């Protein structure tokens, strides 16, 4: 009894202290978890290159962004490896939140690295395979407080030599505003090749010969660029190395006609509401003249940009056969690239270029396809009203505007002279006529050459034939 009493006397305060300690530890744990629970997240840093790449050149352009929206980045290292060399490009540490402070303050959530510039500065690039080894970690408390880790090894090749480029076709005579064809050979490492004519690039296409490296490029010297604009052949490989070569050509600068157009109220009342009802993207200016100018300038620009987009999906082979046809029995009303100045009540209101031919026969005349091809547009189309466009392949599109009715559907194959619809005066048209336009990769070209059998033979078909005689295979792309 006595003994038991003593034990009880000693034991009671022992259990109490232990219990208090337990609660204390539990509270500490609870508050640590409360203060740090967000830092137990398991989201590793993410890595993203600004572009996909398989090859890099001597001075590449490449950037890498690293993000960790959770606890923020702790460290990043990027190493370049080639053969037995290992070159550190980046080695950085970033401070994190202290254990008990709130986790959001002063942390590095993202970092963008100009790897291209760092490679150029820190390494003498050699041709051949290489890799980038990237490691990043964050300030999370996982992995025994080491944080979430991301590792990436990206293999690629350093390619420091540009593609080889050689032009076959000899003399090129070009009318300003018109087309021309060049035949060339480019080494297979080229990802893209073609002609740069002033601001416009025209891609080349395989000539379908036994030698797959033989290509041809139809290009235009735009009617509205200075005659001394540079004209050159370019080829670029995956690493961005560029080969540039000139070729022999002679440009005949052209002076295009100027025409004054009187804009009457009756014309405005006819065209403006009609086009506006089909064109929600143009804002009504609250005034017929102002709205007309908006249609004539802005909508015209948008329409032409859309044609350039359509050309990007052009078939990579000729869909046409022989010379293009000018609408039968038609009389020419307006020429390609007429400079038009628009007057309303004696006052100049706008200036635009007319990038096609206006052809008239009689009202509701059957409009014929100028050549074989694929219908890529058959609907109302801004200033051109009811309109059909045909893809003839390799970036060449023909446009038939102001129709009263359309007979064809998108996706339909048409033959030369097939009826596409009937002439009319929809869109920006005063009277019944056909607006016929040809566009090469979105650049308007004069149809004159394409209407000419001899020009097509001399400038396109014979050049491809000559290449096929030396390289073998068919002579028609
Ligand atoms: Zn026209």
């Amino acid at each position: 009894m006595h003994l038991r009493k003593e034990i009880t006397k000693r034991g009671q305060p022992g259990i109490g202290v232990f219990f208090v300690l337990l609660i204390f530890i539990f509270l500490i744990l609870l508050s640590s978890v409360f203060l740090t629970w967000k830092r137990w997240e398991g989201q590793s840093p993410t890595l993203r290159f600004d572009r996909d790449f398989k090859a890099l050149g001597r001075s590449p352009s490449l950037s890498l962004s690293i993000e960790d929206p959770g606890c923020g980045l702790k460290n990043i290292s990027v190493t370049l490896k080639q053969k037995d060399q290992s070159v550190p490009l980046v080695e950085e540490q970033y401070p994190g939140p202290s254990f008990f402070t709130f986790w959001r303050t002063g942390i590095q959530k993202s970092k963008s690295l100009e790897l291209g510039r760092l490679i150029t500065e820190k390494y003498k690039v050699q041709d051949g395979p290489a890799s980038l080894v990237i490691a990043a970690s964050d300030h999370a408390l996982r992995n025994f407080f080491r944080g979430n880790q991301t590792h990436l090894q990206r293999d690629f090749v350093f390619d420091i030599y540009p593609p080889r480029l050689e032009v076959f076709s000899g003399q090129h005579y070009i009318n300003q505003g018109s087309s021309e064809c060049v035949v060339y050979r480019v080494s297979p490492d080229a990802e893209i090749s073609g002609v740069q004519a002033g601001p416009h690039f025209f891609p080349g296409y395989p000539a379908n010969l036994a030698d797959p490296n033989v290509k041809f490029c139809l290009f235009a010297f735009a009617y509205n660029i200075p005659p001394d604009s540079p004209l050159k052949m370019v080829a670029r490989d995956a690493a961005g190395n560029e080969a540039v070569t000139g070729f022999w050509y002679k440009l005949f600068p052209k002076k295009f006609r100027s025409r004054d157009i009187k804009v009457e109220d009756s014309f405005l009342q006819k065209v403006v509401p009609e086009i506006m009802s089909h064109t929600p993207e143009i804002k009504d200016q609250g005034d017929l003249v102002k709205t007309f100018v908006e249609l004539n300038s802005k909508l015209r620009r948008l329409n032409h940009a859309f044609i350039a987009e359509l050309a990007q999906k052009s078939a990579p082979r000729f869909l046409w056969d022989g010379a293009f046809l000018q609408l039968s029995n038609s009389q020419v009303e307006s020429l390609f690239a007429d400079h038009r100045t628009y007057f309303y009540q004696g006052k100049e209101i706008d200036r635009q270029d007319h990038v096609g031919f206006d052809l008239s026969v009689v009202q509701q005349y059957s409009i014929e396809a100028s050549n074989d091809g694929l219908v890529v547009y058959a609907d109302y189309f801004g200033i051109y009203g009811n309109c059909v466009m045909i893809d003839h392949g390799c970036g060449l599109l023909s446009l038939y505007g102001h129709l009263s009715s359309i007979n064809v559907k998108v996706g339909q194959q048409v033959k030369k002279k097939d009826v596409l619809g009937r002439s009319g005066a929809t869109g920006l048209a005063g009277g019944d006529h056909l607006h016929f336009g040809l566009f090469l990769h979105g650049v308007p070209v004069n149809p004159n050459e394409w209407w000419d059998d001899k020009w097509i033979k001399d400038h396109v078909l014979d050049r491809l034939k000559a290449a096929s005689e030396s390289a073998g295979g068919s002579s028609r792309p």
Side-chain angles (χ1 to χ4, degrees):
M1 185 74 176
H2 190 78
L3 194 69
R4 199 193 291 166
K5 214 174 180 177
E6 264 205 12
I7 293 169
T8 328
K9 269 181 187 168
R10 278 189 200 159
Q12 259 175 344
I15 289 170
V17 167
F18 178 70
F19 200 65
V20 168
L21 209 67
L22 211 68
I23 290 175
F24 188 65
I25 289 170
F26 178 72
L27 283 176
I28 287 180
L29 274 174
L30 197 74
S31 53
S32 333
V33 166
F34 175 74
L35 287 171
T36 64
W37 68 275
K38 282 183 171 172
R39 290 189 57 194
W40 294 91
E41 49 94 0
Q43 199 78 62
S44 306
T46 56
L47 309 176
R48 193 166 44 84
F49 289 105
D50 62 336
R51 64 190 178 94
D52 194 27
F53 65 99
K54 293 185 192 77
L56 295 179
R58 204 186 290 272
S59 335
S61 120
L62 178 69
S63 68
L64 171 69
S65 58
I66 305 169
E67 279 177 27
D68 192 275
C71 297
L73 294 163
K74 191 197 261 173
N75 68 53
I76 298 174
S77 80
V78 182
T79 309
L80 173 67
K81 294 189 171 175
Q82 189 174 29
K83 289 176 192 153
D84 49 357
Q85 297 188 79
S86 179
V87 180
L89 297 177
V90 180
E91 187 61 74
E92 287 179 6
Q93 260 85 33
Y94 310 100
S98 73
F99 199 79
F100 288 111
T101 52
F102 281 103
W103 61 300
R104 276 185 187 278
T105 47
I107 54 169
Q108 185 90 28
K109 288 192 176 182
S110 66
K111 179 75 187 173
S112 178
L113 299 168
E114 296 296 323
L115 290 187
R117 186 177 51 78
L118 291 166
I119 291 171
T120 315
E121 281 172 12
K122 300 192 173 184
Y123 186 60
K124 192 171 180 317
V125 169
Q126 301 162 48
D127 212 57
S131 48
L132 281 166
V133 179
I134 300 151
S137 66
D138 67 7
H139 283 290
L141 299 172
R142 289 202 184 195
N143 300 316
F144 297 101
F145 306 106
R146 283 176 304 160
N148 300 303
Q149 318 270 323
T150 299
H151 288 278
L152 176 75
Q153 172 160 341
R154 185 64 191 265
D155 298 326
F156 61 96
V157 289
F158 273 125
D159 175 2
I160 58 174
Y161 301 108
R164 286 179 309 283
L165 190 57
E166 174 196 0
V167 176
F168 289 163
S169 42
Q171 297 176 329
H172 304 86
Y173 295 94
I174 314 161
N175 288 319
Q176 182 155 22
S178 297
S179 316
E180 176 58 320
C181 177
V182 50
V183 182
Y184 61 100
R185 180 188 277 127
V186 66
S187 51
D189 57 326
E191 274 203 329
I192 189 158
S193 61
V195 169
Q196 184 77 41
H200 306 121
F201 179 73
F202 300 88
Y205 292 88
N208 260 343
L209 305 182
D211 179 350
N213 301 323
V214 176
K215 299 196 173 190
F216 74 98
C217 176
L218 289 170
F219 67 94
F221 198 101
Y223 73 95
N224 57 352
I225 62 174
D228 59 354
S229 301
L231 187 58
K232 61 197 179 182
M233 186 96 236
V234 291
R236 236 184 332 273
D237 65 18
N241 299 302
E242 193 175 272
V244 176
T245 181
F247 54 91
W248 194 95
Y249 71 93
K250 182 164 170 56
L251 177 84
F252 301 103
K254 282 266 181 289
K255 202 139 173 62
F256 297 98
R257 304 192 310 180
S258 290
R259 285 290 179 272
D260 290 348
I261 308 263
K262 279 201 184 70
V263 175
E264 309 279 355
D265 282 317
S266 57
F267 172 73
L268 294 176
Q269 280 152 14
K270 177 199 161 294
V271 300
V272 173
E274 181 207 293
I275 300 176
M276 288 302 286
S277 72
H278 286 96
T279 317
E281 60 269 35
I282 297 293
K283 231 181 111 212
D284 194 315
Q285 305 295 306
D287 170 294
L288 274 185
V289 177
K290 284 184 184 152
T291 308
F292 166 78
V293 172
E294 194 75 354
L295 296 175
N296 202 31
S297 53
K298 190 175 173 192
L299 183 57
R300 184 183 294 270
R301 212 166 48 241
L302 291 174
N303 288 158
H304 291 162
F306 181 76
I307 296 171
E309 259 175 59
L310 276 183
Q312 287 179 4
K313 287 172 262 166
S314 180
R317 61 190 184 280
F318 289 163
L319 303 178
W320 53 270
D321 190 13
F324 284 62
L325 284 187
Q326 183 183 333
L327 180 63
S328 58
N329 306 310
S330 65
Q331 192 176 322
V332 173
E333 305 284 349
S334 293
L335 297 183
F336 175 76
D338 278 354
H339 293 303
R340 289 177 167 178
T341 309
Y342 297 79
F343 292 90
Y344 178 73
Q345 294 181 349
K347 225 180 92 209
E348 181 183 325
I349 52 168
D350 200 11
R351 284 180 187 211
Q352 298 296 333
D353 300 331
H354 179 251
V355 292
F357 268 70
D358 285 348
L359 304 169
S360 69
V361 192
V362 289
Q363 292 200 356
Q364 313 255 315
Y365 190 72
S366 298
I367 298 305
E368 304 142 345
S370 61
N371 214 324
D372 305 354
L374 181 74
V375 176
V376 289
Y377 194 92
D379 203 344
Y380 200 91
F381 185 52
I383 62 166
Y384 294 112
N386 290 324
C387 175
V388 173
M389 282 189 256
I390 299 178
D391 175 27
H392 300 289
C394 304
L396 185 65
L397 262 69
S398 59
L399 177 152
Y400 310 79
H402 310 313
L403 307 186
S404 56
S405 63
I406 295 176
N407 276 9
V408 288
K409 288 194 176 65
V410 170
Q412 190 175 330
Q413 306 264 2
V414 288
K415 287 286 188 196
K416 199 186 295 194
K417 277 202 146 177
D418 278 357
V419 174
L420 306 174
R422 298 205 166 258
S423 70
T426 53
L428 272 189
D432 188 301
H433 74 278
L434 168 71
H435 175 97
F436 176 70
L438 271 184
F439 293 82
L440 195 50
H441 292 284
V443 177
V445 291
N446 198 330
N448 274 334
E449 281 79 6
W450 292 98
W451 281 336
D452 177 359
D453 217 9
K454 185 168 164 28
W455 180 87
I456 290 185
K457 183 178 178 298
D458 292 350
H459 288 253
V460 184
L461 302 179
D462 281 358
R463 281 183 188 158
L464 289 164
K465 209 164 135 196
S468 82
E469 275 157 18
S470 58
S474 113
S475 68
R476 199 185 150 79

